[in-house]
Amino acid sequence: MLDCAIIGGGPAGLTAGLYTTRGGLDNVTMFEKGMPGGQITMSSEIENYPGVTGHITGMDLMIPWPEQCQRFGLKHEMSEVTRVARGEDGIFIIQKSDGTSDEAKSVIVCTGSAPKRAGFVGEDTFFGRGVSTCATCDGFFYKNKEVAVIGGGDTALEEALYLAKICTKVYLIHRRDSFRSAPNTIARVKGTPNIELVLNAVPEEVFGGAMGVDGIRVKLQDGSLRQIDVPGIFVFVGNNVNNQVLIQEDGSFLCDMTPWGEVKVDLSMKTSVPGLFAAGDMRESAPKQVVCAAGDGAVAALQAIAFVDGHH
Ligand code: FAD
Ligand code: NAP
């Protein structure tokens, strides 16, 4: 039986693997369905991981992480986990897509999340070359420039406010004339002089060239097109949490979740189920940054060690 099963091999899972094995757990396996490294390996540049200077890609950042963990005994299994269940004896059962399963005393779930795409022309082509889903990651690249934000929920409005502090102007493009966001956030957006609301406007096409994005065309209510010339487009139209492994046979979740499908955790990354921890982008209120996911992984690992040792 495993002391700890780690589901997902992004920054959270790899850091959990490092801390559990180096902290003394003998039998730890990290289950990762693809290559370890997580979603940051898709990024062409990461500037905000502490201590890293110079131009490096997300892949450059993540390449040494698995080797560092393996040195302390982390086992890596390339498998897709389909479900984490829990027997009456409190032992966890890790079910995998090949039909086999493993048992574990503790589990750290680190399966991440993925922002939704809006579906306009050019969104995929220019993703990472002017189209972004992360203002904290990419906002700085547009310092003293104009950008557009797409969406009308809390995320879009909060990120528009964040970008308005860095950029000269933010066009907030929303397909309706009313927002889903909290009233005080809407009031703050309306009171920010360098945010222009572009309402009843459906994104049609992002355009540009070899150097990246030049702008976006939106269709207005009267059918006319408006062109907004900006080098950066930030899309915030919702988020899919990779929480499928926690769904049980009867459709319920193994542990308590937020209404938006994130795992509820306390400051120790403990879920509502003893011995089950969640870390990284899939937990509630995650800042969705590599440094934070790695920090979560370390916190969860220290708690998993205490749980397996009976000090919980
Ligand atoms: P993830 O990195 O999403 O890793 C989850 C892992 O779990 C994946 O490898 C996945 O394959 C695996 N997995 C999922 N389900 C299963 C399953 N059922 N079985 C087995 N394995 C499974 N952050 C920054 O700090 N700075 C940046 O500049 C920055 N730029 C970014 C640019 C881009 C293009 C993207 C997409 C993200 C960026 N981020 C950046 C965000 C950062 O990548 C995430 O916050 C971070 O990767 C989250 O780590 P995680 O371990 O929680 O999840
Ligand atoms: P959301 O509430 O689902 O909002 C998504 C927005 O994107 C909506 O305004 C939607 O328009 C728009 N949209 C969806 N698909 C689109 C498309 N294809 N093209 C153009 N626009 C599209 O998502 P979210 O903002 O990420 O928030 C998710 C949940 O987290 C919400 O419940 C939110 O309250 C919560 N949250 C809370 C906080 C906070 O409390 N501080 C912060 C962030 C998020 P329509 O309105 O027309 O559908």
Side-chain angles (χ1 to χ4, degrees):
M1 183 185 313
L2 298 172
D3 282 333
C4 184
I6 297 168
I7 323 296
L14 285 161
T15 309
L18 176 64
Y19 274 71
T20 44
T21 50
R22 194 166 178 275
L25 292 189
D26 289 327
N27 200 3
V28 183
T29 297
M30 183 186 80
F31 299 89
E32 166 57 58
K33 63 181 177 182
M35 293 301 290
Q39 52 176 299
I40 191 62
T41 56
M42 290 185 290
S43 172
S44 58
E45 185 168 13
I46 175 158
E47 277 196 332
N48 59 0
Y49 194 79
V52 172
T53 54
H55 180 105
I56 66 160
T57 66
M59 185 66 89
D60 295 335
L61 178 75
M62 297 311 297
I63 278 175
W65 293 38
E67 190 199 324
Q68 184 187 17
C69 299
Q70 279 152 21
R71 218 186 294 156
F72 296 103
L74 178 69
K75 291 184 223 76
H76 166 211
E77 187 177 313
M78 199 179 204
S79 295
E80 180 172 15
V81 172
T82 49
R83 179 175 295 142
V84 177
R86 188 167 177 258
E88 279 172 17
D89 52 3
I91 299 300
F92 293 96
I93 301 134
I94 315 301
Q95 300 173 5
K96 296 175 285 186
S97 58
D98 63 2
T100 64
S101 61
D102 289 286
E103 289 187 337
K105 294 177 194 168
S106 66
V107 176
I108 305 175
V109 187
C110 315
T111 44
S113 70
K116 287 182 188 165
R117 300 280 168 101
F120 50 80
V121 175
E123 185 180 26
D124 290 341
T125 313
F126 288 104
F127 192 82
R129 296 195 301 124
V131 175
S132 170
T133 51
C134 179
T136 318
C137 311
D138 298 330
F140 186 78
F141 299 126
Y142 302 99
K143 191 173 168 65
N144 298 326
K145 294 179 182 164
E146 297 192 350
V147 295
V149 165
I150 294 167
D154 276 309
T155 308
L157 270 66
E158 287 179 7
E159 299 306 296
L161 287 165
Y162 175 87
L163 288 164
K165 293 196 186 79
I166 302 170
C167 306
T168 48
K169 181 162 182 177
V170 177
Y171 296 89
L172 178 57
I173 298 168
H174 181 35
R175 63 185 178 184
R176 296 187 295 125
D177 63 358
S178 61
F179 296 108
R180 288 176 186 273
S181 187
N184 63 327
T185 311
I186 298 171
R188 281 174 61 211
V189 163
K190 288 185 173 167
T192 303
N194 64 335
I195 297 180
E196 179 182 327
L197 303 183
V198 184
L199 301 178
N200 294 315
V202 177
E204 286 273 305
E205 182 188 9
V206 164
F207 58 92
M211 299 303 288
V213 164
D214 291 327
I216 182 167
R217 290 187 194 97
V218 297
K219 188 179 254 180
L220 304 176
Q221 217 169 18
D222 63 5
S224 64
L225 285 179
R226 175 174 172 188
Q227 179 168 315
I228 300 171
D229 296 327
V230 282
I233 316 281
F234 289 84
V235 182
F236 302 111
V237 295
N239 193 42
N240 289 322
V241 183
N242 298 329
N243 58 22
Q244 298 82 350
V245 299
L246 294 170
I247 300 174
Q248 305 301 288
E249 245 174 275
D250 65 1
S252 66
F253 282 103
L254 178 59
C255 58
D256 291 350
M257 311 289 284
T258 70
W260 312 296
E262 306 146 331
V263 181
K264 283 191 178 181
V265 290
D266 66 10
L267 289 175
S268 304
M269 303 303 138
K270 285 179 185 161
T271 70
S272 57
V273 172
L276 178 70
F277 306 87
D281 280 13
M282 64 144 6
R283 59 99 166 160
E284 65 176 317
S285 306
K288 300 192 177 65
Q289 292 290 286
V290 175
V291 66
C292 303
D296 281 5
V299 171
L302 296 174
Q303 293 299 322
I305 295 169
F307 180 83
V308 171
D309 287 349
H311 307 304
H312 53 90

